[in-house]
Amino acid sequence: MATVAFHTLGCKVNHYETEAIWQLFKADGYDRVDFEGSSDVYVINTCTVTNTGDKKSRQVIRRAIRKNPDAVICVTGCYAQTSPAEIMAIPGVDIVVGTQDRNKLLGYIEEFRKDRQPINGVGNIMKTRVYEELDVPAFTDRTRASLKIQEGCNNFCTFCIIPWARGLMRSRDPKEVIRQAQQLVEAGYKEIVLTGIHTGGYGEDMKDYNLAMLLRDLEEQVDGLKRIRISSIEASQITDEVIDVLRNSKKVVRHLHIPLQSGSNTVLKRMRRKYTMEFFGERLNRLKEALPGLAVTSDVIVGFPGETEEEFMETYSFIEKHQFSELHVFPYSKRTGTPAARMDDQVDEEIKNNRVHRLIALSDQLAKEYASKFEGEVLEVIPEERFNDGEQNDLYVGYTDNYLKVVFPATEEMVGEIVMVKIAKAGYPYNEGQFVKVVKEEIVFAV
């Protein structure tokens, strides 16, 4: 049996697509093996969001070539899309496919084996207007299933290369989304995470259909689905209709990831973001009113070109005021080919790092404050895996619907199921809980 090994760099969408590409190989009779061993075919799914992403991708490609010089080396993903010639120039690379036409990969492998000529299968992504269907009926991860619902982005923020790597907005056919969601529930998943390059923009390229309608249809039409999580949504995409759906839903969880990037209007303008802080704040207030206990996590870039101490403090104060439950903080990193990389007033690395540390300290404090509100409460948790603290124990780790990471006593049989957990103590980086049983709607505490 022929073997294939995968290595994925970058975001959740890339991880989803690697699983989809594996399904194609599996259907063709391939056996999946560990990337660190020898394989007949290596598939490297690359990232290009930063210059470091490109560099790491090149390192992994070279590692695969060293492992088995006779293997077929296939490179796909965002870096492959934006810089195919750069990748083809690496001796030992055989096939390059971008962020489209992944279903042609097996045909290219056959063609390469016959002709022994490198193949560049990268097309012009900006001309692509149709969503590429890639099915994933089950995941290597047993507990949370991702479901990709859209591709591409029309925003062209000044710091971002992604529209050039992924093309413009394309939404997946709602019937296909519903069909695959049902398939995932039947494979045993209780929670589905809707994901994409610009997830909240789902439906913007469709007539008479949008994200709010998709959320309603998933809730009503997918039997056995317990949780719907949106991987990320922009403030500008949180319409009154979306808020209304969230307010009335029994399945959409109390957690939203809303990228902030900066809390200063002047920086947002330089970033070419599509909202003001006043609008963002108003949306947050409306959401928290509709969904009491809502967890809002966010991404923040610090040290964007020209960012002053005053602008940074505007961001700091906004986050503090609106009580985000956790932040992903990034120092601004120049991405070749973007307008921001050519801007004057690049911020000194030391200043960037200082600001990163200040925001991380604030994030830790806010995470602790948010979690402590739930001390003594019984919440639904899906155990994901054994908690590894280097000691033998019966502790497992899982997430509540509002994205609290909880460590609690459980068993292997509970993994992937919804269990009731009483939050005993809120701490950071995780919270401690006690597994409880529900007997005839009464909560009975486990000993």
Side-chain angles (χ1 to χ4, degrees):
M1 195 183 264
T3 58
V4 60
F6 295 90
H7 193 290
T8 311
L9 296 108
C11 68
K12 281 177 184 163
V13 173
N14 264 12
H15 284 270
Y16 176 90
E17 288 170 350
T18 295
E19 292 289 336
I21 296 165
W22 158 232
Q23 297 300 323
L24 301 173
F25 277 88
K26 192 176 172 182
D28 204 49
Y30 276 78
D31 195 18
R32 187 172 182 171
V33 295
D34 191 272
F35 190 83
E36 297 311 319
S38 182
S39 181
D40 301 319
V41 178
Y42 290 91
V43 178
I44 299 99
N45 196 352
T46 60
C47 173
T48 194
V49 75
T50 62
N51 290 346
T52 310
D54 289 2
K55 187 181 167 189
K56 281 184 181 168
S57 297
R58 287 193 296 271
Q59 287 169 346
V60 174
I61 293 164
R62 291 195 176 99
R63 212 163 85 217
I65 294 162
R66 283 196 303 272
K67 280 178 195 308
N68 181 3
D70 298 326
V72 181
I73 306 292
C74 308
V75 183
T76 183
C78 293
Y79 178 42
Q81 183 64 50
T82 57
S83 311
E86 221 170 88
I87 294 169
M88 294 292 286
I90 300 172
V93 170
D94 303 314
I95 297 163
V96 181
V97 176
T99 54
Q100 199 70 9
D101 297 332
R102 269 74 59 102
N103 53 1
K104 293 182 180 174
L105 206 45
L106 288 155
Y108 287 148
I109 290 169
E110 288 313 304
E111 194 183 319
F112 175 78
R113 283 183 172 143
K114 201 166 76 222
D115 304 337
R116 307 310 290 182
Q117 290 298 314
I119 297 166
N120 180 349
V122 179
N124 183 348
I125 199 73
M126 284 304 177
K127 290 183 176 172
T128 304
R129 293 291 178 273
V130 180
Y131 178 89
E132 181 183 33
E133 282 295 337
L134 287 169
D135 249 17
V136 186
F139 288 82
T140 318
D141 179 355
R142 294 181 293 163
T143 52
R144 244 186 301 170
S146 293
L147 176 48
K148 189 179 164 197
I149 62 170
Q150 72 76 235
E151 176 64 276
C153 179
N154 297 354
N155 276 10
F156 295 93
C157 298
T158 56
F159 55 81
C160 187
I161 199 79
I162 292 305
W164 306 107
R166 289 283 178 170
L168 300 174
M169 272 282 312
R170 282 105 68 207
S171 299
R172 191 173 189 176
D173 181 334
K175 289 189 189 70
E176 283 300 310
V177 176
I178 303 292
R179 183 191 62 76
Q180 210 197 322
Q182 191 62 63
Q183 200 176 16
L184 289 166
V185 171
E186 281 161 16
Y189 297 98
K190 301 282 189 286
E191 178 178 320
I192 285 176
V193 184
L194 302 179
T195 191
I197 295 302
H198 200 52
T199 315
Y202 178 86
E204 282 174 17
D205 55 333
M206 288 175 160
K207 199 170 178 280
D208 307 325
Y209 200 77
N210 59 26
L211 179 67
M213 293 157 99
L214 179 71
L215 292 171
R216 269 196 213 102
D217 287 348
L218 282 166
E219 180 143 3
E220 289 166 11
Q221 295 176 31
V222 181
D223 295 335
L225 178 59
K226 299 292 186 205
R227 285 184 184 177
I228 303 166
R229 196 179 295 276
I230 304 164
S231 66
S232 182
I233 186 167
E234 295 283 340
S236 53
Q237 295 158 346
I238 301 168
T239 60
D240 290 351
E241 192 185 357
V242 165
I243 292 173
D244 202 46
V245 168
L246 297 178
R247 181 187 288 109
N248 298 313
S249 174
K250 302 258 189 307
K251 294 182 182 177
V252 181
V253 298
R254 291 178 298 169
H255 166 236
L256 289 174
H257 185 81
I258 314 172
L260 177 69
Q261 307 306 10
S262 172
S264 161
N265 282 335
T266 44
V267 175
L268 287 173
K269 205 168 181 182
R270 295 201 295 277
M271 288 179 165
R272 212 188 287 146
R273 300 288 285 166
K274 292 198 160 52
Y275 50 83
T276 62
M277 293 330 299
E278 292 72 24
F279 175 79
F280 202 117
E282 183 269 337
R283 291 287 93 179
L284 287 179
N285 293 339
R286 288 282 313 275
L287 281 167
K288 288 180 177 181
E289 199 182 289
L291 280 176
L294 175 73
V296 179
T297 56
S298 195
D299 299 326
V300 186
I301 295 171
V302 299
F304 188 77
E307 184 186 65
T308 62
E309 180 62 21
E310 288 72 27
E311 287 171 328
F312 169 73
M313 282 313 296
E314 285 177 51
T315 300
Y316 190 98
S317 304
F318 184 86
I319 290 163
E320 197 172 32
K321 178 186 172 186
H322 287 281
Q323 300 280 294
F324 286 78
S325 60
E326 195 179 358
L327 306 174
H328 299 153
V329 186
F330 306 94
Y332 168 72
S333 168
K334 267 190 186 183
R335 180 59 186 83
T336 311
T338 60
R342 298 188 294 274
M343 286 179 182
D344 297 332
D345 300 333
Q346 297 288 331
V347 176
D348 183 77
E349 290 302 316
E350 209 172 306
I351 293 172
K352 271 192 234 178
N353 289 336
N354 172 269
R355 289 176 187 171
V356 165
H357 289 305
R358 282 152 71 189
L359 266 193
I360 288 173
L362 176 62
S363 174
D364 290 353
Q365 178 199 322
L366 292 174
K368 216 173 279 184
E369 284 172 15
Y370 177 76
S372 64
K373 292 177 190 171
F374 298 91
E375 277 187 358
E377 283 201 26
V378 176
L379 302 174
E380 287 185 350
V381 178
I382 299 179
E384 295 198 357
E385 60 189 1
R386 193 177 278 278
F387 177 62
N388 186 5
D389 60 354
E391 291 179 24
Q392 289 292 99
N393 56 45
D394 61 350
L395 296 177
Y396 281 73
V397 63
Y399 286 88
T400 62
D401 75 304
N402 57 337
Y403 214 57
L404 290 179
K405 189 176 183 180
V406 189
V407 172
F408 57 99
T411 62
E412 190 61 26
E413 292 71 52
M414 292 177 191
V415 170
E417 298 298 321
I418 289 182
V419 301
M420 307 302 290
V421 175
K422 182 178 184 182
I423 309 299
K425 182 170 170 285
Y428 196 77
Y430 60 85
N431 306 289
E432 288 174 29
Q434 182 182 17
F435 168 64
V436 299
K437 290 177 186 166
V438 178
V439 183
K440 293 181 185 168
E441 298 309 309
E442 285 177 51
I443 288 169
V444 179
F445 287 83
V447 179

